[in-house]
Amino acid sequence: MTVLSSESDLRGCYDQPSELVQKKILSRLDKHARAFIALSPFVVLATHGPDGADASPRGDAPGFVQVIDDATLLLPDRRGNNLIDSLRNVTQSPDVGLLFLVPGINESLRVNGRAGIVTDAALLAPLAVQGKLPASALKISVREVFFHCGKAMIRSGLWQPESRVPRDAFPTLGRVIADQVGGLDAEAADANLEESYKSRLY
C-alpha cells in the first residue's frame, strides 16, 4: 500500500485548482457569507490539540453564531456533555475550522481562523437564550472564508425527504450507551436523555 506523504505526491493524483476556485477564497466575511451564517442553525467545529483532531457539532436557532465584524465571529458554547474537548484543544492550539450548513441549501460555507475563549459578560449577553448565558464563547478571528460547492450534498441526498432513515433503523442513544458501558438500563438511559433534551438544552 502506497501512502502519499507530500503535496507533490498528491498533485500527481489531482489537477491544479482552477483560477476561479483559488480566487473565491476570501480573507474577510462578505455580504453573502454573513447572510449564510445568519441562516445557519448548524455548524461543525474542527479543532486540534495534544490528543489529535476533533470535530464537534454545534446547533441552535438560525444565526446563533454572531458576526461581530467582517473578520470576527462569536460562537457560544451551550450546555453539552462537559467533556470540553474543543475548548481544551483551543487552549493548546487556537487554529479552528468551521463548516456552516443551511437545511435545504446544497452549498456550505467554510471558515478557518484562530479562536480564543471568552467569558466577558458584555460579549456573552447577546448570546443568551431563555435568559441563560453560555458558559463561554469562542471569539474567532477569520483567516479565510469560502463557499463549498454542493456536490457532497447532492451525492448524499442529505436534504432529500426520501433519504431520511426510519428511527427504528438504528438503536437509541440510551441503548448504544448501555451496550458500550455495561450495567446500565437502556430504557432508563433513554428516559434520562429525553428529560435532558426537554429541560436542559441551555
Side-chain angles (χ1 to χ4, degrees):
M1 179 178 67
T2 301
V3 178
L4 304 182
S5 57
S6 70
E7 184 175 350
S8 60
D9 289 341
L10 283 170
R11 280 298 165 205
C13 299
Y14 291 89
D15 296 331
Q16 289 288 339
S18 69
E19 183 179 2
L20 177 61
V21 166
Q22 296 180 67
K23 284 184 174 181
K24 76 173 184 176
I25 301 175
L26 307 178
S27 60
R28 292 289 187 271
L29 300 164
D30 69 350
K31 65 178 183 180
H32 300 295
R34 286 170 173 257
F36 198 88
I37 292 170
L39 291 172
S40 176
F42 185 85
V43 62
V44 177
L45 169 66
T47 60
H48 185 273
D51 297 327
D54 183 74
S56 175
R58 304 298 172 97
D60 213 322
F64 74 101
V65 178
Q66 184 180 26
V67 177
I68 296 179
D69 55 42
D70 66 358
T72 315
L73 296 173
L74 203 58
L75 170 60
D77 189 65
R78 303 291 185 203
R79 183 187 294 273
N81 56 23
N82 293 318
L83 290 175
I84 59 171
D85 292 322
S86 300
L87 300 179
R88 286 190 296 108
N89 284 346
V90 167
T91 66
Q92 300 293 315
S93 175
D95 292 318
V96 299
L98 302 170
L99 178 67
F100 289 93
L101 302 179
V102 174
I105 296 180
N106 284 326
E107 290 71 34
S108 53
L109 180 70
R110 292 170 60 176
V111 177
N112 298 316
R114 293 174 68 84
I117 303 167
V118 296
T119 57
D120 311 62
L123 283 174
L124 298 182
L127 305 175
V129 176
Q130 297 179 7
K132 297 180 180 179
L133 297 178
S136 68
L138 289 181
K139 188 177 181 182
I140 299 164
S141 297
V142 174
R143 177 173 56 83
E144 61 181 13
V145 53
F146 57 98
F147 282 94
H148 199 104
C149 78
K151 291 178 182 176
M153 301 297 184
I154 294 170
R155 293 187 190 115
S156 66
L158 184 63
W159 305 130
Q160 301 304 314
E162 59 270 22
S163 296
R164 289 180 63 90
V165 175
R167 186 60 194 88
D168 60 2
F170 190 81
T172 63
L173 182 55
R175 166 49 61 191
V176 171
I177 294 174
D179 288 347
Q180 292 176 337
V181 174
L184 295 178
D185 179 86
E187 291 186 4
D190 277 327
N192 288 335
L193 285 166
E194 186 63 27
E195 179 59 29
S196 73
Y197 291 160
K198 291 178 180 177
S199 63
R200 297 198 299 273
L201 283 179
Y202 299 99

